[in-house]
Amino acid sequence: MLSLNLGLSCSFYAQDSTKQKKIKEPKHFFNTTISLDYYGKPTIDLNLKGMNPAELAIGQHLKSYGVAQSNLSFYTPLATINKFNKDSSVNSNFHLLFTGNYIVLQPQFAGITDHTLVKYGLGIRAIYNTGKKSIFFFETSPFVTQDISYPSEGIIRLSGTLLWSFSPTNGFNFRLGATKSFMWGNRFYLPFIGIRIGRLDKVNFSLQFPRIASLNIPISNAVRFSVFTKPQGGVYNFSNYDTIYKINNDKANKTIHFGRYEVLTGLRLDVVPNKWLNFYLATGFSTGNYMAFYSNTYNKGNDLEYWDFFSTSPGNTYFINAGLTLRFGKTKSYYNNRNIYEAIDLNNTIDPGDNNVNPGNTNIPILKKKKPERVKPSEVQDLIDLNDF
Amino acid sequence: MKFKIKYIIILLLTLSFKVTLAQNDKVESMKVAFITKEVNLTTTEAQSFWPIYNEYNDKVKSLRKNFRANNDSKEDFANDKEAEDFLNAELKLKQNEVDLRKEYTEKFKKIIGVKKTAQLRKAEDKFLRIVINTAKGNGP
């Protein structure tokens, strides 16, 4: 049996009369989701020791470095193809999602004017759940980066990930694949290697190189806690208004590139008031900080890693990260459907837009084992019938 | 940045006091936990069983929601025709439920075997008794 849902209502068991209302059955396993995220780390003086004269001049010009970043992203399911084997014993499905992202980055340098860098893009991701132990994931996100404070060119870049996820048991998963990403402050083609020990709806440890390592402790459906370490960064266009790049400061060099990453290590608390909303607060230390400027002209024709004309490792600071995730619409039930849990985790680990901003796995239900204490009619009306009393 | 952080913390703290904790799907999640405990499925069985069981539940819910959407708003019947339509719709609902149960019982038998399918039915009934007893205890 094969059913394809493309936004049209299909209710197989509706009443006969054409006059009667038809309740739409949920078509997808994923909600339309919008995430808002704020991240900031304080300004700290640049360490100028050991710089060569050219870099020292730039370092003295910039003086200090801090980051404030706001991110808006979304994904929405476009199509779900649900397929059952002839004997109904295996349910495989294919999910096509549309993604989008708008990020505003304000690097803070005391010695130069304020720059507001934006990055925006749309993307597509496809997830195929074989219904057995494997899931295949593909996503691509073309995006534009631009310095909107001063005249500069917008440049189109592309990030993407291709992955195979395999779960031999509920409590163990590994992932293999490749990713093109800018989140390590440069253009990198990296292998994706992931391993998770523990079930997604229980305490688990997950290492997803190059994105995140985390110990996840779901306390309940309403409260989830994690300890994590992950990079956060990107490559943005930067106007050379402040003459950071002095060689050939002509029209071609009005735009340079700014790359940065930090390794964030901290604690995160997710609060889930209901299944349509969750918010989180994370804090910890920003270490392994890196920032660099790349010349546009010097890197013309270079399709691999950018060559920098200035790079430095600013000192460690604290960071703060807060976010809100809104989910819309209803989904098909996926209780204990381990492959859908894996698909949800994949979708949340690889955020729209290559920013490593994770909405959290709050849409994976934590089963309650205690007996119901107070039940409302609305909660049980689909489970029981008057004749059951 | 300190200014922004202060307001974000105040906003989140305010939200955390105002919201009530997750209530939706509470009973559904308890039912799944209960069945998981009662019907001792192997990892392989569970992998195939739960997607099909969820599909069955979605269909039953959809049937009942459709019935309510079309019949709950009527306080009284204007004529015999309306009353007859209601009775027919209710019978059709029951018939559709039985048809669904037959269809999915066959599917469950293929995945988890006859014995565990019977255990599933007993677990569902047992859970319903718990819910009903709870509802009786808290009723008006």
Side-chain angles (χ1 to χ4, degrees), chain B residues 31-32 34-36 38-41 49-50 53 56-57 101 104-105 108-109 112-127:
Chain B
K31 180 187 166 193
V32 174
F34 187 81
I35 291 171
T36 304
E38 293 285 309
V39 186
N40 203 13
L41 300 176
F49 169 76
W50 287 107
Y53 187 75
Y56 166 68
N57 265 345
R101 171 156 286 179
Y104 277 84
T105 298
F108 297 147
K109 275 155 67 177
I112 58 175
V114 182
K115 207 170 167 184
K116 283 186 179 172
T117 304
Q119 278 172 344
L120 166 72
R121 287 291 305 118
K122 283 184 85 89
E124 283 178 324
D125 279 350
K126 210 167 158 185
F127 183 77

Side-chain angles (χ1 to χ4, degrees), chain A residues 196-198 202-207 212-218 224-229 266-268:
Chain A
R196 194 194 66 249
I197 299 165
K202 306 255 181 189
V203 175
N204 68 74
F205 173 74
S206 174
L207 174 65
I212 190 167
S214 58
L215 176 67
N216 304 298
I217 307 164
R224 306 184 188 206
F225 180 73
S226 67
V227 184
F228 68 90
T229 182
L267 309 171
R268 169 167 158 161

